[in-house]
Amino acid sequence: MSTRVVSVEFQDNVAVVTVDNPPVNTITAAVREGLFQAADQIRAQPGVKAVVLLCKGSTFFSGADINEFSGPPKEEEYRRLFAQWEGMSVPVVAGMHGTVLGGGLELSLACHYRVAAPGTRLGLPEVTLGIIPGAGGTQRMPRLIGVEKTLELILSGRPVDAAKAVELGFVDAVIEGDLAQGTIEFAKRLVAEGKGPRRTSERNVDPATATDEIIARLTEQAKKQYPNRQAPFFAIDAVRASLRLPLEEGLKYEEELANRSKATTEAKALIHVFFAERETRKIPGLPADVKARPVQKAGVVGAGTMGGGIAICFANAGIPVTVLDATREALDRGLKRVEETFDSMVKRGRITAEDKAKRMSLIRGTLDYADFADADVIIEAVFEDMNLKKKVFAELDRVAKPGAVLATNTSTLDIDEIASSVSRPQDVIGMHFFSPANVMPLLEVVRTDRTGPETLRTVMDLAKPLRKTPVLAKVCYGFIGNRMMEGYAREAQRMVLEGATPRQVDSALERFGMAMGILAVFDMAGVDVGVNVHKANADKYPPDPTYYQADLALYEAGRLGQKTGKGYYRYEPGDRTRYDDPEAIELIRARAKKLGVEPREHTEEEILERCLYPLMNEGFKILEEGVALRASDIDVVWTSGYGFPRYRGGPMFYAETIGLKTLLDGMLKYREIFGPMHWEPAPLLVKLVKEGKSIADWERSRT
Ligand code: NAI
């Protein structure tokens, strides 16, 4: 028999079931149907002594079909299917390779034996999507490795490799060489040794793995690791149940908890971000026949913080990159920092010394623009100065080959103006990396009115080998991310002027889930960086004498943040711990007095509203102006580049969570108190509330 995706053949007395559902053998409805039929067929076939389950292509089952999450629950069907496989009267062996996650791993647990190719990665990452394993993982895994290890696996969300899985005890052997052949031989050996089925469901959970101490420790750990979250606690509840309930009942309890977890806002938010990240590469209006140009060589101008990080990204991707700086000293300093970054990766076991050598050999320093002649893409990352950037682009225009992408990493400058300095503006584009560029996943791709479609496609596609999530933006001040940051940070600083302490503001934001409070972020990035941007762009801001004045007061007192040991907080040498500093508070209060800022009491609620409402409000403007292609792109920018909690789905998703009317009413409330200069609601927000529509309604109405 074979269906489109599942085939069965018999080799001697072994039934070999092979699934081929490219690209990653997701367990779709067709796969489940095929597996049902295969089990029936094997049962009907006389003389079968063992069954082997394999997958073709790059991986064994990579997981359940996430597109089915929003549809009717599938747990019951999974239960029936797995019961049918587990119920076979001859040994069933899963032969695994690739990345085996979630439902894929759960399916293997319903087999009687499991073997894997070296390097296979196996995991139950459901909690990272706000849900729990719902196809038996919480009930079968503890029967194999106990409650404690199961919970450690589920709560970490991270896969383990095959060797570790053998050590943990849920994989029987690592198969070197040909996996299919090795798995069949493994099955034949079982038969020869007279071994029958070994059903996970018939095993008992070891109670010593679920003592009160163990559960208390894991619960405490989950509380710390997952603040504001529910899924990890549903998982703990479900796995513990494996100890007291027989499998059938345990599976039903798991289903109940899985369905409850799916209904949470956190699950909806995390799944929203998961899909949003896969959507960003789609560019409506870009003809399908527009092809990316190959990128085999790259160039970077400026060997500073960003240039060095960008060069590392190319080297990591195996793309040779030439780095240019203005002076020998700057170049050497930059290349030394690159080497130190690789050294620390080696030290932390992220790469081998061999990897480091290989990657370093891909990075070449130069002082001569002529060395860019064969580069396919050149990224400029010199000081943030328009005249300097124009000079650099004029040089690039002179030496770059026709069709080379000429990109700038500017955070604030007008890329249209930069493009005016070259004879080929169609090749000019913004590639806005985030610091540290070799770590942060976000890449804002900024197109000008004249950026050509091929340039755009090339850069969007280049994001993949560079391991970045590209989000397309149009030129405007601050693009998507920094433009939304403006009001967010403005209010944080303003509240400090009104008498809130830096810690009060930052703690409120961190309890909400931001990776780091915004004032601590300024200390980390350098208070001077923000001040310089605001000085250079003074004409772009509203005439508010209190605007970003806390920053300025600290800056003028030489408090530049971590690098000077003091900023909003105080730091000890070699330590990033933030200590409250009365001196900073005093400085800012004195500035507030001079500016005539009225002191004010701040509840935690007000701190969050005043920081987050302007942030979300700006998102509506960006959306309506077409600066972002879609609301979910804005969410990706903030969750992948600015530490906005994924489990809140990003600012636009969060606006819908609290309700657009709540957001609008909040904007109006603060407009009443502080005046219209900063608190005018975005027209699109007003319109949607008036018409009772959602962001998705509006997006649909435009296509
Ligand atoms: P940086 O000061 O660390 O590095 C700038 C480098 O450019 C220095 O090595 C300098 O010697 C070199 N340079 C100056 N003039 C040059 C010339 N004529 N020719 C060749 N090289 C020259 O600055 P950073 O932080 O790396 O910023 C670079 C760009 O990236 C700026 O446009 C900045 O706005 C942008 N950016 C910075 C981020 C950050 O967090 N630091 C984040 C995103 C963008």
Side-chain angles (χ1 to χ4, degrees):
M1 169 224 90
S2 39
T3 66
R4 198 167 49 80
V5 292
V6 181
S7 63
V8 183
E9 28 171 303
F10 297 93
Q11 290 193 21
D12 304 325
N13 289 328
V14 179
V16 181
V17 179
T18 308
V19 177
D20 185 12
N21 187 32
V24 289
N25 289 313
T26 304
I27 310 175
T28 53
V31 169
R32 294 195 296 275
E33 179 54 31
L35 288 172
F36 271 120
Q37 287 181 24
D40 285 344
Q41 186 193 354
I42 292 165
R43 282 217 172 81
Q45 177 82 15
V48 174
K49 294 271 189 330
V51 181
V52 161
L53 177 60
L54 299 164
C55 287
K56 273 222 167 89
S58 62
T59 184
F60 192 71
F61 302 107
S62 62
D65 183 355
I66 294 187
N67 289 304
E68 288 181 345
F69 283 6
S70 48
K74 295 282 180 294
E75 280 81 3
E76 195 274 334
E77 186 187 337
Y78 268 94
R79 243 187 353 255
R80 261 191 303 119
L81 175 66
F82 290 7
Q84 199 179 21
W85 275 71
E86 192 168 38
M88 298 244 203
S89 57
V90 296
V92 179
V93 187
M96 304 184 277
H97 69 295
T99 307
V100 186
L101 300 177
L105 181 56
E106 290 173 293
L107 174 50
S108 81
L109 303 180
C111 297
H112 304 153
Y113 298 86
R114 284 155 295 282
V115 297
T120 306
R121 290 157 57 75
L122 308 113
L124 294 170
E126 282 82 351
V127 293
T128 63
L129 288 177
I131 56 179
I132 65 168
T138 69
Q139 304 303 302
R140 285 196 178 86
M141 190 61 97
R143 284 175 161 78
L144 292 168
I145 65 173
V147 166
E148 184 178 17
K149 288 180 190 165
T150 299
L151 276 175
E152 282 169 357
L153 193 68
I154 292 177
L155 294 176
S156 85
R158 280 196 300 270
V160 295
D161 70 9
K164 179 78 186 169
V166 171
E167 186 190 317
L168 287 170
F170 67 90
V171 167
D172 297 289
V174 175
I175 301 277
E176 304 280 346
D178 186 88
L179 177 69
Q181 220 36 54
T183 309
I184 293 167
E185 278 159 23
F186 185 93
K188 286 184 174 167
R189 252 193 327 272
L190 291 174
V191 175
E193 290 166 10
K195 297 215 169 112
R198 188 190 62 179
R199 299 187 184 97
T200 310
S201 58
E202 289 166 3
R203 298 180 158 209
N204 289 321
V205 179
D206 177 2
T209 63
T211 60
D212 290 349
E213 287 80 4
I214 290 173
I215 299 299
R217 176 177 64 77
L218 290 168
T219 306
E220 240 357 86
Q221 188 188 313
K223 275 189 194 150
K224 274 209 198 99
Q225 192 185 346
Y226 297 103
N228 305 323
R229 298 277 310 273
Q230 287 173 271
F233 306 97
F234 283 128
I236 292 174
D237 190 355
V239 173
R240 283 183 82 183
S242 68
L243 192 63
R244 61 171 198 274
L245 300 178
L247 187 82
E248 244 342 274
E249 278 177 55
L251 290 176
K252 287 199 181 126
Y253 189 58
E254 175 191 81
E255 176 180 2
E256 185 191 320
L257 293 176
N259 285 333
R260 273 170 63 195
S261 72
K262 275 190 224 164
T264 59
T265 304
E266 113 192 15
K268 289 180 186 147
L270 286 162
I271 291 167
H272 162 76
V273 176
F274 178 90
F275 283 116
E277 286 174 345
R278 279 148 187 80
E279 186 81 4
T280 64
R281 282 189 177 77
K282 296 184 193 149
I283 307 171
L286 193 67
D289 59 357
V290 172
K291 293 280 176 277
R293 300 188 200 120
V295 175
Q296 273 145 8
K297 285 199 174 139
V300 173
V301 193
T305 311
M306 296 308 289
I310 295 166
I312 292 173
C313 292
F314 279 105
N316 287 347
I319 301 172
V321 54
T322 300
V323 184
L324 178 146
D325 209 300
T327 63
R328 169 61 55 192
E329 296 73 50
L331 182 62
D332 289 346
R333 204 171 41 236
L335 293 176
K336 189 161 158 262
R337 259 203 314 258
V338 165
E339 176 146 26
E340 285 163 2
T341 306
F342 281 126
D343 282 336
S344 94
M345 285 161 79
V346 173
K347 218 157 134 199
R348 282 176 295 136
R350 304 282 298 275
I351 58 171
T352 63
E354 219 174 34
D355 294 333
K356 176 202 147 179
K358 205 154 119 206
R359 292 178 201 191
M360 276 304 290
S361 75
L362 292 172
I363 302 177
R364 192 163 69 112
T366 186
L367 298 170
D368 186 357
Y369 276 90
D371 287 334
F372 286 144
D374 58 354
D376 302 297
V377 47
I378 306 168
I379 303 174
E380 167 280 310
V382 300
F383 302 137
E384 189 77 340
D385 173 326
M386 180 56 90
N387 285 330
L388 176 60
K389 294 208 188 241
K390 279 178 154 174
K391 272 194 207 131
V392 169
F393 270 76
E395 287 292 330
L396 296 180
D397 195 20
R398 200 170 53 76
V399 298
K401 67 183 187 186
V405 171
L406 308 180
T408 171
N409 183 46
T410 182
S411 331
T412 53
L413 299 175
D414 180 349
I415 302 177
D416 275 299
E417 193 180 335
I418 296 177
S420 72
S421 61
V422 300
S423 62
R424 34 174 141 175
Q426 73 279 6
D427 295 330
V428 175
I429 194 164
M431 287 178 76
H432 186 212
F433 290 78
F434 289 74
S435 183
N438 53 309
V439 175
M440 295 294 285
L442 178 62
L443 176 67
E444 271 185 319
V445 176
V446 190
R447 67 166 150 193
T448 74
D449 288 338
R450 293 190 288 174
T451 301
E454 270 188 20
T455 305
L456 191 53
R457 185 78 273 159
T458 303
V459 170
M460 293 303 276
D461 285 10
L462 175 60
K464 194 158 195 171
L466 296 183
R467 295 170 154 266
K468 300 293 166 202
T469 308
V471 174
L472 186 58
K474 270 196 199 159
V475 174
C476 67
Y477 179 69
F479 315 135
I480 297 173
N482 285 344
R483 178 167 160 185
M484 290 169 75
M485 173 77 112
E486 198 60 37
Y488 169 59
R490 173 198 76 220
E491 286 305 305
Q493 294 203 17
R494 167 78 199 205
M495 283 188 276
V496 177
L497 286 175
E498 291 164 8
T501 65
R503 189 170 299 275
Q504 200 185 340
V505 173
D506 280 347
S507 299
L509 294 169
E510 285 163 11
R511 274 193 289 269
F512 171 79
M514 300 298 292
M516 194 187 251
I518 186 65
L519 302 172
V521 169
F522 283 122
D523 270 2
M524 191 181 63
V527 172
D528 52 322
V529 174
V531 169
N532 289 333
V533 169
H534 283 94
K535 277 188 180 164
N537 296 282
D539 59 322
K540 297 197 178 70
Y541 309 118
D544 171 2
T546 70
Y547 202 74
Y548 280 78
Q549 285 293 310
D551 255 11
L552 195 61
L554 296 173
Y555 171 82
E556 285 169 359
R559 302 182 64 108
L560 306 185
Q562 287 184 14
K563 62 186 165 193
T564 57
K566 40 195 186 169
Y568 283 94
Y569 302 88
R570 188 174 60 73
Y571 303 85
E572 301 286 347
D575 178 6
R576 293 175 175 219
T577 312
R578 300 172 223 161
Y579 297 97
D580 294 327
D581 190 354
E583 201 183 293
I585 294 171
E586 202 31 63
L587 256 170
I588 295 171
R589 295 230 163 119
R591 177 63 53 108
K593 213 161 175 192
K594 209 165 122 200
L595 292 165
V597 176
E598 291 261 331
R600 193 177 161 84
E601 291 283 324
H602 305 87
T603 59
E604 179 133 343
E605 189 186 3
E606 171 164 334
I607 293 172
L608 290 179
E609 289 177 355
R610 283 179 62 187
C611 285
L612 298 176
Y613 286 9
L615 167 80
M616 294 187 277
N617 189 58
E618 198 66 30
F620 284 87
K621 292 188 194 162
I622 283 173
L623 197 57
E624 187 166 30
E625 289 170 23
V627 167
L629 286 176
R630 43 181 93 81
S632 63
D633 277 7
I634 298 176
D635 288 336
V636 172
V637 166
W638 272 79
T639 49
S640 62
Y642 292 82
F644 197 98
R646 287 172 76 90
Y647 60 81
R648 296 200 194 271
M652 305 312 282
F653 186 93
Y654 187 65
E656 300 262 29
T657 304
I658 61 170
L660 301 190
K661 175 142 186 352
T662 305
L663 173 57
L664 176 60
D665 289 348
M667 290 297 294
L668 296 175
K669 175 176 83 182
Y670 291 111
R671 187 176 72 177
E672 201 54 41
I673 303 171
F674 297 107
M677 193 190 294
H678 301 307
W679 292 97
E680 212 47 73
L684 177 60
L685 173 64
V686 175
K687 176 180 147 84
L688 292 180
V689 172
K690 198 163 140 216
E691 294 173 3
K693 291 200 171 127
S694 67
I695 297 171
D697 290 335
W698 179 77
E699 290 188 321
R700 263 194 304 275
S701 74
R702 291 194 325 152
T703 49

